[in-house]
Amino acid sequence: MAIDTNKVKSQAAELSATCWQIANDLRGGMDASEFKNYILGTIFYRYLSERTEMYMQEILKDDGYTYEEAFTDDEFKPVVEQWSLEHLGYIIKPENLFRELSRKISKPKDEGDKFSVEDYERAINELTGSTLGHESEAAFAGLFDDVRLQDTRLGDTVSERTSTIGSVISRIAELDMDLQNHEFDVLGTAYMILIGLFQSSAGKKGGEFFTPVGPSTLCTSLACVGLDEAKTVGDCTCGSASMLLDVQKHLSTGKVGHFYGQENNPTTYNLARMNMLMHGVDYQNFTICKGDTITNDTYGDVKMTVQVCNPPYSLKYSADSSLLDDPRYSGAGKLAPKSHADYAFVEHMIYHMDDTDGRVAVLLPHGVLFRGGAEEQIRKYIVRDLNRLDAVIGLAPNLFHGTSIPVCILVLKSKRNGNSDNILFIDASKDFIKGKNQNELSDEHISKIVQAYVNREDIEKFAHVASMDEIKANDYNLNIPRYVDTADEEPEIDLGEVTENIKEIDKEITEVSAKLKKSFDELGLEFPL
């Protein structure tokens, strides 16, 4: 089904206005960048609540019960609880539904029915508590840890905190938005809006967990070329899981067996799991783990059909020699330098590639293409010994929040389908839309790059299929200008025309000098030679 782009833009505009209103309501003792935790958490709670209502309405329609009625029936209650746990992975009691919390704020039945921040806190605790001991526990554990409802910066008293959080719930309740529409990335869009609103305090760190739409779409498109479905999809620095989720949009059937992700930042780790659930991915079908990918491989022996990644660029890490015993890094015989962990992420992904048809598309700084030392040795190992590098694509500068550097995409494949004797180089550094704060990749730019990757033919000043002999002759330096000449040709100089111009200039100088000498003579002055 085609996406209604006008509707999406309208929803984004409404969401932006609401986020700004909530931010103003919350403004006080709390740091601005922390506002987003309450806004995102409440949007997510509303989603889970509406999902519960939709599910219960569907399964109870033939029984003549509402969810509230079924929950008060001693026979039905354990049944609907079991259904909810098995299908949704959690239980939200009728009195804890988002609409009930919102109603108590706007239309309490009596004094005892008024909303309290403690009602919301209890509702969250009972939701997460319902998952304990069940298969869904890992997916929901700690999801609301950043929604700290007893934080005195929300207000010193329960009454003050109730007023602040009540305002957040009311604003989000006013959103005229279908949160069950998986085409519109509500949580991801809200996150980026909030990063923009709080840019001064979130700063450079704010955008590192969310890959902009253009580079994300390009990366996932390249990784999925020719694939109908993917048994396993992974992102080892998944951030908010935007790229991970984007993969299924580029599979012809849209089918993904299981999603795997890893994220070291606890707040963003929670956001990733929220995002998976809000995109309709059942808790049984994803595994998002918290941890440092380089030192703690949570994937185990899992092999991936598709891996996409936008790791932190040139990350500093320990480079402890014990890591050479890790099978992910032992093949190259050297570790990525402690000042640049880029290749450590690449090696991790190579280790987890499915041997039958594994694909990787990873965004990296250009330095990985030509830096020497340990990186040169790892580069040679990947290109010469493993022969898994399929394409190198250079992108425009300033495409990412928080950094203006140009980046490249490395595309790797476990089976190179007849291209094992070459590597494709694409220079797309001039393909972008100039933005005020950040440049963008348009759909046309993405299509142009992907088509060039599929066609795999030389295109003047844009693409070149380099033989392995060329790569070897360049000592495995992959710097794109060595393979794609994008320099503008110097205009041809007509020496005869230049000579005539010089003669004409000399003639003019002689004429002007004669006039000046005449004037000097009339004034009785000596004319300088």
Side-chain angles (χ1 to χ4, degrees):
M1 185 176 71
I3 299 173
D4 186 339
T5 54
N6 289 330
K7 183 178 180 181
V8 168
K9 288 179 182 177
S10 174
Q11 289 176 324
E14 182 190 356
L15 187 56
S16 179
T18 300
C19 287
W20 180 248
Q21 289 169 342
I22 296 171
N24 283 325
D25 289 339
L26 277 171
R27 200 174 299 281
M30 183 170 292
D31 185 79
S33 63
E34 293 182 87
F35 295 167
K36 66 180 181 295
N37 299 332
Y38 297 89
I39 299 171
L40 296 171
T42 303
I43 289 174
F44 180 60
Y45 189 84
R46 177 183 159 182
Y47 166 81
L48 295 179
S49 178
E50 291 182 359
R51 192 176 181 209
T52 294
E53 289 196 86
M54 290 175 64
Y55 176 65
M56 290 302 168
Q57 185 179 5
E58 177 64 26
I59 65 171
L60 292 171
K61 64 182 180 183
D62 295 330
D63 296 299
Y65 275 91
T66 64
Y67 182 38
E68 289 84 352
E69 290 169 343
F71 217 80
T72 57
D73 186 298
D74 290 341
E75 292 185 13
F76 259 85
K77 181 180 177 182
V79 176
V80 295
E81 285 183 324
Q82 188 63 29
W83 286 344
S84 188
L85 277 172
E86 289 179 358
H87 182 76
L88 305 176
Y90 61 92
I91 298 169
I92 295 182
K93 297 176 181 178
E95 64 266 27
N96 293 340
L97 291 169
F98 183 83
R99 63 171 167 80
E100 270 300 295
L101 299 177
S102 177
R103 180 198 61 75
K104 289 172 74 172
I105 294 168
S106 58
K107 295 179 182 177
K109 296 174 183 176
D110 51 48
E111 192 67 25
D113 188 50
K114 286 185 177 179
F115 171 78
S116 168
V117 68
E118 293 174 340
D119 296 331
Y120 190 24
E121 187 172 24
R122 184 188 66 252
I124 288 173
N125 289 338
E126 289 182 352
L127 185 161
T128 54
S130 71
T131 69
L132 297 179
H134 297 279
E135 188 183 346
S136 58
E137 181 178 350
F140 287 87
L143 271 184
F144 293 93
D145 281 357
D146 292 318
V147 184
R148 301 183 179 98
L149 298 174
Q150 293 188 21
D151 194 324
T152 55
R153 291 175 298 173
L154 294 172
D156 291 325
T157 65
V158 170
S159 175
E160 290 173 345
R161 294 196 295 276
T162 294
S163 176
T164 303
I165 293 301
S167 178
V168 175
I169 291 173
S170 294
R171 294 290 192 188
I172 290 174
E174 290 169 2
L175 279 174
D176 182 19
M177 189 174 294
D178 178 11
L179 297 183
Q180 312 300 319
N181 176 12
H182 304 142
E183 293 293 351
F184 180 54
D185 184 359
V186 180
L187 212 60
T189 302
Y191 181 77
M192 286 312 290
I193 289 168
L194 292 165
I195 290 301
L197 292 176
F198 309 138
Q199 193 167 7
S200 59
S201 53
K204 183 176 178 180
K205 286 289 183 183
E208 69 181 32
F209 309 117
F210 190 97
T211 304
V213 173
S216 175
T217 300
L218 175 58
C219 216
T220 51
S221 297
L222 291 165
C224 294
V225 167
L227 277 182
D228 297 322
E229 58 187 29
K231 184 179 179 181
T232 46
V233 173
D235 184 343
C236 62
T237 61
C238 67
S240 63
S242 60
M243 279 181 70
L244 195 55
L245 286 160
D246 201 35
V247 169
Q248 59 189 348
K249 298 177 185 177
H250 303 288
L251 299 168
S252 60
T253 65
K255 291 182 180 179
V256 172
H258 200 92
F259 291 93
Y260 290 88
Q262 187 163 346
E263 173 56 44
N264 200 30
N265 179 283
T267 296
T268 320
Y269 160 64
N270 288 339
L271 183 64
R273 290 181 294 155
M274 290 181 187
N275 233 347
M276 298 301 290
L277 291 163
M278 283 193 71
H279 279 78
V281 181
D282 289 339
Y283 68 90
Q284 304 99 322
N285 294 338
F286 71 85
T287 302
I288 306 290
C289 297
K290 183 184 175 303
D292 180 347
T293 296
I294 294 175
T295 58
N296 179 22
D297 184 4
T298 63
Y299 288 171
D301 295 327
V302 174
K303 299 297 182 180
M304 308 282 179
T305 312
V306 172
Q307 293 176 85
V308 290
C309 189
N310 181 24
Y313 302 147
S314 299
L315 180 73
K316 293 179 175 60
Y317 80 119
S318 69
D320 190 284
S321 60
S322 63
L323 288 172
L324 277 173
D325 296 327
D326 190 313
R328 295 175 295 167
Y329 313 125
S330 59
K334 278 204 173 183
L335 293 174
K338 63 171 60 178
S339 57
H340 301 93
D342 306 296
Y343 269 119
F345 292 109
V346 177
E347 290 176 284
H348 166 90
M349 288 182 278
I350 289 174
Y351 178 77
H352 287 287
M353 289 177 78
D354 183 285
D355 288 332
T356 57
D357 191 14
R359 290 107 174 285
V360 166
V362 54
L363 289 151
L364 293 167
H366 275 261
V368 301
L369 303 177
F370 53 79
R371 287 192 295 245
E375 287 183 293
E376 180 181 352
Q377 183 166 326
I378 296 170
R379 188 165 59 244
K380 287 179 177 178
Y381 171 70
I382 292 170
V383 176
R384 180 188 60 202
D385 302 339
L386 297 182
N387 195 5
R388 291 202 169 184
L389 183 61
D390 196 53
V392 177
I393 300 164
L395 301 182
N398 200 28
L399 290 174
F400 296 85
H401 180 90
T403 180
S404 61
I405 64 168
V407 301
C408 64
I409 295 179
L410 301 188
V411 182
L412 300 102
K413 297 179 74 174
S414 56
K415 299 296 182 186
R416 302 248 276 117
N417 303 325
N419 295 313
S420 59
D421 62 346
N422 64 72
I423 295 174
L424 174 66
F425 289 83
I426 295 175
D427 186 337
S429 59
K430 295 179 181 178
D431 293 87
F432 65 95
I433 298 172
K434 181 72 174 174
K436 183 179 179 182
N437 299 315
Q438 187 175 309
N439 296 329
E440 296 180 21
L441 282 177
S442 69
D443 290 344
E444 289 75 18
H445 295 138
I446 293 168
S447 178
K448 175 185 175 183
I449 296 166
V450 173
Q451 198 58 51
Y453 174 69
V454 172
N455 292 343
R456 210 173 184 86
E457 297 174 348
D458 281 13
I459 301 173
E460 188 177 0
K461 297 186 181 300
F462 186 70
H464 175 60
V465 181
S467 69
M468 282 300 180
D469 287 339
E470 285 182 77
I471 307 294
K472 185 178 180 181
N474 279 303
D475 200 23
Y476 298 90
N477 183 317
L478 304 177
N479 202 16
I480 297 172
R482 287 180 177 244
Y483 304 95
V484 182
D485 181 12
T486 59
D488 293 327
E489 291 184 10
E490 294 289 339
E492 190 174 320
I493 298 173
D494 186 333
L495 293 177
E497 184 179 346
V498 170
T499 301
E500 289 302 316
N501 288 338
I502 292 172
K503 288 179 180 178
E504 188 64 33
I505 292 169
D506 285 342
K507 181 181 177 183
E508 290 178 8
I509 291 173
T510 301
E511 291 175 354
V512 170
S513 295
K515 290 179 181 178
L516 284 171
K517 186 177 186 307
K518 183 178 179 182
S519 298
F520 270 67
D521 290 344
E522 290 175 355
L523 293 170
L525 299 173
E526 183 179 351
F527 182 67
L529 295 176

